[in-house]
Amino acid sequence: MPAIVLVGAQWGDEGKGKATDLLGSRVDYVVKFNGGNNAGHTVVIGDEKYALHLLPSGILTPGVTPVIGNGVVIDLPVLFHEIDGLNARNVDTSKLVVSANAHVIPSYNRTLDKVNERFLGSRKIGTTGRGIGPTYADKMTRVGIRVQDLFDEKILRQKVEGALELKNHLLVKVYNRRAITVNEVVDELLAHTERLTPYVADTALLLDQALKRDEVVLLEGGQATLLDVDHGTYPFVTSSNATAGGACTGAGISPIAVTRVIAIAKAYITRVGEGPFPTELFDDDGEKLRKIGAEFGTTTGRPRRCGWFDLPIARYASRINGITDLVVTKLDVLTGWEQIPVCVAYEVDGQRLEELPMTQTGFHHAKPIYEYLPGWSEDISGARSLEDLPANARAYVQFLEERCGSRISAIGVGPERDQTVVLRDLLN
Ligand code: IMP
């Protein structure tokens, strides 16, 4: 029963596409198990560039069944906009399956996401403003609207009434906005029912049946380990479980079905939004990483904060996810530095710490302790095996592997699909 989990090992945008490309057509199902249209991946196939925010990347691979799992929150206009965009370019989207238990993002939660952030002022999270947090909050406080509610107008109306009771107090009395009517929300949601219906299924059952037939199920996490609501740098996190455990709850499969956990890490590190970031660079090196690595958000266009590779974070990701294979991306971006700092531990309030600090305050105080590795100047974008890499690039990768607690199974040396050094098969 090959269920493979794919997660980000850092703060997101690590380039999961590299791993999905390596698995290629051998995958039967690609499941998005968390998040919503706060994700962003650009997939380049030949001359065509596709920007996806909500749909699982498998939508572009013929033969794959893309699944939006129960752990996802869905902005329906965005879903149909992405489907229309792909159909216009002759991409078949008819195999898409959407969980009846996934929650939908009503437009009032987009409004609330933005006003919440303004209200928080200097304590803001730097969210993507897509309504993700408020929709997960509704799920937990049990006033959320699920996909299946769109099939029963009476129930939908009751649920919207319940949700708006509190929301309207917030909107009107706290945020000074206009109240929203039940009718406008019900109409907004019901407008999608007809189009949505053919896609909806009991996806947990579907995946269980696929696994029993020995088909390959890839569970793809949005965001990344340090943005996980439980295991990330809370409160500067997303509102879902982006680590390997989230794959089971967000897709409805058993932990013992998971045979492999692949994680992706950049050869350096980036983050968007607010929150602690020990190796963040504020100098020319940071600018250089951002420029060479094209580090601007796919969803929001925001410049990403850039820093050197952080081994305590990599070790943490290895532990929390049980990583079996690490894919290191963007090694080519590090070409041209005389020496490359790697954070091997932190200094927190005068003490050396090999692991992530236990408390948020500790993380805010963590200063990186660096070891310096010799750089390389050769163009590595054509490398396809370890031997093709200059000795110092090889030594850099080896150093990461020895210290990060995960074996490295592939290395990205450029943005194209084939610009990868593959060290072992990610499936077998
Ligand atoms: P939210 O997910 O929109 O609530 O934003 C919460 C935090 O997660 C913010 O710091 C966002 O910048 C970050 N975030 C959300 N999605 C992504 C992503 O796909 N890549 C990187 N950061 C993300």
Side-chain angles (χ1 to χ4, degrees):
M1 294 208 297
I4 303 166
V5 173
L6 175 62
V7 291
Q10 299 165 326
W11 273 295
D13 311 303
E14 293 92 349
K16 288 188 205 93
K18 275 280 171 208
T20 39
D21 284 348
L22 289 174
L23 294 164
S25 54
R26 293 173 300 168
V27 171
D28 299 296
Y29 290 78
V30 175
V31 188
K32 179 179 169 79
F33 64 78
N34 74 309
N37 54 318
N38 47 348
H41 33 262
T42 310
V43 188
V44 182
I45 301 179
D47 295 336
E48 296 281 320
K49 210 170 168 182
Y50 302 89
L52 300 175
H53 297 287
L54 175 61
L55 288 169
S57 60
I59 197 98
L60 295 168
T61 314
V64 166
T65 302
V67 178
I68 295 185
N70 58 276
V72 174
V73 292
I74 306 175
D75 187 318
L76 292 166
V78 171
L79 175 70
F80 293 123
H81 178 75
E82 288 196 359
I83 289 176
D84 288 342
L86 291 174
N87 292 164
R89 293 159 85 178
N90 295 321
V91 177
D92 178 18
T93 53
S94 60
K95 290 184 87 169
L96 175 71
V97 192
V98 177
S99 168
N101 286 348
H103 283 241
V104 298
I105 305 178
S107 56
Y108 51 74
N109 278 345
R110 275 199 303 276
T111 311
L112 280 168
D113 196 358
K114 289 178 193 136
V115 287
N116 279 345
E117 282 281 275
R118 246 172 277 151
F119 200 71
L120 282 171
S122 63
R123 288 177 294 119
K124 74 176 194 293
I125 310 296
T127 73
T128 56
R130 303 294 193 265
I132 310 295
T135 303
Y136 279 112
D138 286 356
K139 175 177 175 174
M140 292 309 176
T141 48
R142 291 152 294 180
V143 291
I145 312 290
R146 295 194 289 178
V147 163
Q148 57 184 281
D149 299 327
L150 272 61
F151 303 145
D152 187 331
E153 187 175 342
K154 193 169 141 229
I155 289 286
L156 178 67
R157 192 166 288 279
Q158 280 172 14
K159 293 199 169 178
V160 171
E161 264 166 18
L164 285 186
E165 228 166 87
L166 179 67
K167 304 266 175 197
N168 273 335
H169 277 296
L170 259 181
L171 282 167
V172 176
K173 293 185 186 151
V174 181
Y175 297 127
N176 213 10
R177 298 263 165 156
R178 77 172 176 88
I180 296 167
T181 67
V182 173
N183 276 345
E184 69 186 283
V185 178
V186 169
D187 290 350
E188 166 198 317
L189 294 172
L190 284 182
H192 301 292
T193 306
E194 196 183 330
R195 205 170 164 198
L196 187 62
T197 306
Y199 295 109
V200 181
D202 179 344
T203 50
L205 176 64
L206 187 86
L207 294 174
D208 185 60
Q209 291 164 339
L211 288 169
K212 284 188 173 134
R213 287 192 302 267
D214 242 4
E215 294 185 320
V216 180
V217 174
L218 177 67
L219 303 135
E220 197 179 317
Q223 294 76 50
T225 302
L226 289 186
L227 290 172
D228 183 287
V229 66
D230 282 273
H231 302 291
T233 44
Y234 190 90
F236 303 103
V237 291
T238 194
S239 301
S240 64
N241 286 112
T243 45
C248 295
T249 47
I253 65 155
S254 158
I256 58 170
V258 177
T259 49
R260 208 123 174 197
V261 178
I262 303 168
I264 321 293
K266 280 179 200 172
Y268 48 99
I269 196 165
T270 63
R271 104 172 274 179
V272 277
E274 309 300 316
F277 182 171
T279 66
E280 181 167 17
L281 293 163
F282 299 95
D283 56 7
D284 291 348
D285 282 340
E287 244 341 288
K288 198 167 148 189
L289 281 176
R290 188 173 305 115
K291 199 160 157 237
I292 301 175
E295 297 296 354
F296 296 88
T298 322
T299 298
T300 57
R302 289 180 285 179
R304 297 183 185 136
R305 301 157 65 191
C306 298
W308 300 120
F309 195 88
D310 185 319
L311 279 166
I313 285 177
R315 283 195 289 272
Y316 179 75
S318 176
R319 174 159 61 84
I320 292 287
N321 295 297
I323 298 170
T324 59
D325 299 84
L326 186 66
V327 176
V328 174
T329 57
K330 295 190 144 183
L331 186 66
D332 54 304
V333 174
L334 295 182
T335 300
W337 263 276
E338 214 158 282
Q339 52 175 13
I340 306 169
V342 175
C343 169
V344 294
Y346 303 133
E347 190 201 308
V348 182
D349 303 330
Q351 287 202 319
R352 185 183 169 107
L353 207 60
E354 308 288 330
E355 302 291 336
L356 256 58
M358 188 183 75
T359 63
Q360 194 206 343
T361 310
F363 212 154
H364 279 274
H365 291 179
K367 292 194 191 74
I369 298 173
Y370 287 120
E371 283 189 26
Y372 295 84
L373 275 77
W376 60 91
S377 54
E378 298 89 335
D379 177 4
I380 63 167
S381 60
R384 296 295 175 268
S385 72
L386 262 191
E387 294 69 48
D388 295 340
L389 290 174
N392 286 350
R394 249 184 351 250
Y396 182 80
V397 174
Q398 244 157 25
F399 183 80
L400 300 193
E401 180 166 78
E402 278 161 18
R403 304 286 192 98
C404 78
S406 303
R407 69 172 180 179
I408 294 176
S409 294
I411 305 157
V413 291
E416 296 299 324
R417 284 187 146 193
D418 66 335
Q419 288 183 302
T420 309
V421 173
V422 183
L423 303 174
R424 68 183 55 77
D425 190 351
L426 290 179
L427 229 173
N428 297 304

